[in-house]
Amino acid sequence: MYPSQSNQDLRRFFAGLTEFAFEGRLGVADPPLVEYISELLTRFLDFNAIYAVRSPAGKRLDQVADMLAEAEARSGDARREVHRHIGDFALFWTGLFPESLDRLKRGGFKDALLDYRQTGKRAYFIASTIDTQQPRIENGLLQRLSHDFELCAYGLGEVRREWQRLEDDGPIPPKPIIFN
């Protein structure tokens, strides 16, 4: 968790960058989609949120291959949430840090065999088809994330480029303080 003022500043920072990249640069006028991606960036500032999926024994799952197996072992809301998280995880790494995926392939990890783009698209699609009691995220938005995965990944790359440009030009919001 972050101190509330810094959290609000970071939310605004990512909201502005995401809106600029998606609406200004790419012409994507889809406020729910842009807001979702902005919230994803804010949420994933916390390392524990990036690796939020746990095994039944509480072990952190840090590879998508393990997350996929865990998703299939669950049902209902829990299955939907794990598939949504897999989509978020794949989108985050594909869009912001694609160079890390190249290292993944050379590192001998299970995920080296996965195509994060296809896996992310499929995970969002599966999540969109699972009916739940009270979906936090509407199925239509998850379907758009699946259908437009490549565009969203490209947009996140634009967010990163703008973030780096701002960092080179002057001060950016302070780095978050993460409390475990």
Side-chain angles (χ1 to χ4, degrees), residues 80 84 124 127-128 137-146:
R80 183 179 197 264
R84 183 195 57 82
Y124 279 136
S128 78
I137 295 125
E138 68 176 65
N139 290 344
L141 176 57
L142 293 170
Q143 288 171 355
R144 290 196 307 280
L145 284 161
S146 174

Side-chain angles (χ1 to χ4, degrees), residues 55 59-70 89 101 103-116 119:
S55 72
K59 179 183 178 237
R60 183 183 78 207
L61 304 180
D62 55 7
Q63 292 194 55
V64 171
D66 295 330
M67 291 179 209
L68 287 166
E70 185 60 32
F89 188 93
L101 299 180
R103 283 188 291 242
L104 185 74
K105 291 192 185 303
R106 294 189 306 266
F109 298 99
K110 288 184 243 181
D111 281 5
L113 301 174
L114 296 176
D115 178 335
Y116 266 38
T119 302

Side-chain angles (χ1 to χ4, degrees), residues 119-131:
T119 302
K121 287 175 72 124
R122 184 172 185 271
Y124 279 136
F125 177 76
I126 291 170
S128 78
T129 65
I130 298 171
D131 290 325

Side-chain angles (χ1 to χ4, degrees), residues 71-84:
E72 293 309 309
R74 296 184 183 188
S75 62
D77 291 355
R79 183 168 186 254
R80 183 179 197 264
E81 282 305 304
V82 174
H83 277 294
R84 183 195 57 82

Side-chain angles (χ1 to χ4, degrees), residues 17-18 21-22 26 28 30 32-38 40-41 87-88 90-98 117 120-121 124 140-161:
L17 281 180
T18 306
F22 280 80
L26 302 177
V28 176
D30 186 341
L33 180 74
V34 172
E35 182 180 347
Y36 183 86
I37 292 171
S38 172
L40 168 68
L41 291 170
D88 289 350
L91 181 59
F92 178 80
W93 291 108
T94 302
L96 286 178
F97 305 107
R117 289 179 188 273
K121 287 175 72 124
Y124 279 136
L141 176 57
L142 293 170
Q143 288 171 355
R144 290 196 307 280
L145 284 161
S146 174
H147 183 265
D148 296 330
F149 189 91
E150 289 87 357
L151 176 66
C152 293
Y154 183 82
L156 279 173
E158 287 295 308
V159 167
R160 179 182 175 180
R161 284 183 278 285

